[in-house]
Amino acid sequence: MAKEVMTVELKDKVLIEKTAKIRAYENGVKTSLFGIAHIMQEIQKGELYKADGFKNIIDYAGQVFGYKKTMVYNMLQVAENYLQAGENKTVFAIGEKDFSMGQVQELL
């Protein structure tokens, strides 16, 4: 069952850029979730959602992508604790072998 995609018009140029990156990652493989987690973390740290009137990262991610609160919190925690800076893989990665987002979430 496909999730419903929200149609929201954004104004902030940086948020638009970050949102486009998230959309591109959604179409990829498992490492894409790590990329989304990184970008969500950047949006959260920069409070980029505020310029477009969102209350917080949860409000932004819910309205723009249909993400649930728990998913957003998990992504932020995974990015903070288990992802390598600037890369779409975990600190546990060995070569091409890595954990999935679900496996890393279990560590939370």
Side-chain angles (χ1 to χ4, degrees):
M1 182 173 162
K3 69 177 178 204
E4 184 178 318
V5 176
M6 308 295 174
T7 304
V8 177
E9 188 171 334
L10 305 175
K11 298 174 213 85
D12 182 85
K13 289 181 182 181
V14 177
L15 185 60
I16 291 168
E17 177 188 321
K18 301 290 184 189
T19 301
K21 286 182 178 182
I22 291 173
R23 293 249 185 250
Y25 277 122
E26 282 187 321
N27 295 322
V29 293
K30 77 175 183 180
T31 58
S32 296
L33 288 174
F34 297 144
I36 293 170
H38 271 299
I39 294 169
M40 285 288 187
Q41 184 182 40
E42 291 173 359
I43 292 169
Q44 170 74 5
K45 285 183 177 180
E47 297 182 330
L48 301 176
Y49 49 82
K50 286 185 175 181
D52 276 289
F54 296 103
K55 294 182 284 187
N56 52 45
I57 190 76
I58 305 299
D59 184 36
Y60 159 74
Q63 286 192 47
V64 176
F65 301 104
Y67 293 170
K68 302 291 183 202
K69 180 179 178 177
T70 303
M71 180 178 177
V72 177
Y73 278 132
N74 285 344
M75 284 185 161
L76 292 172
Q77 288 298 309
V78 166
E80 183 70 27
N81 296 299
Y82 300 114
L83 296 184
Q84 294 183 28
E87 297 191 40
N88 297 339
K89 56 184 167 181
T90 71
V91 295
F92 310 112
I94 300 172
E96 295 298 313
K97 295 182 180 183
D98 199 0
F99 289 104
S100 69
M101 178 64 86
Q103 290 169 322
V104 177
Q105 286 177 338
E106 289 296 317
L107 296 174
L108 296 174

